[in-house]
Amino acid sequence: MSEKPAGESRDRMESAVGCLLAVLGAAVTGAFALPRAAYSIEGGFEAHARDWGVILVELPLILFAGLTVPPLAWAAATRWLRPWAAVLVCAAVVALGLWGLSAAWHPRQAPDPGPGPGL
C-alpha cells in the first residue's frame, strides 16, 4: 500500500486552483468585455459599424489574458506566500487588469441620435 506524500497532494491542490482561476478569469473578462463590444459585433443598422478589429483581434486577446493572467499570478504568488494570500494577490491582479482595460479600451458604442429634426 503506497501512500501519497503530503507534498504531492498539495501540488495537485495548487494545480486545481490554478485551473479554476483560469476558468473564472476567462468568464469574468468575457462578462466584462462582451457587453462593451456588443455594438462592434452587431454593427448597428445594416451592420455598417461592424468592427472586425474588435472581433478578430481585441476580444480574443482580452479573453486570452483573462485565461492566462490569474493562473500565472497564482503560480508566482504561491512561491512566496500562503495560499490564502495568493488568492488575494490574484483577485487584486484581476481587479487591476479590469480597471486598466476599462481605462484604455474604448470600442465603438451606439451613436446617440439626440433630439434631431425627426422625420
Side-chain angles (χ1 to χ4, degrees):
M1 310 232 165
S2 64
E3 295 181 18
K4 293 182 182 177
E8 185 179 329
S9 65
R10 184 171 188 254
D11 289 343
R12 285 189 181 193
M13 186 271 308
E14 288 179 359
S15 298
V17 170
C19 292
L20 179 66
L21 287 172
V23 170
L24 286 175
V28 167
T29 54
F32 181 79
L34 289 174
R36 292 181 61 142
Y39 186 74
S40 296
I41 294 170
E42 294 169 1
F45 180 70
E46 292 183 351
H48 76 283
R50 182 170 288 156
D51 189 359
W52 289 101
V54 170
I55 297 168
L56 297 176
V57 177
E58 294 172 6
L59 279 177
L61 286 176
I62 290 169
L63 293 175
F64 179 72
L67 184 69
T68 57
V69 169
L72 290 176
W74 168 258
T78 54
R79 296 189 82 161
W80 295 286
L81 301 173
R82 295 179 184 248
W84 63 268
V87 170
L88 294 176
V89 168
C90 287
V93 166
V94 169
L96 286 173
L98 291 176
W99 173 74
L101 183 63
S102 69
W105 186 54
H106 302 291
R108 182 186 297 217
Q109 300 298 314
D112 182 22
L119 296 174

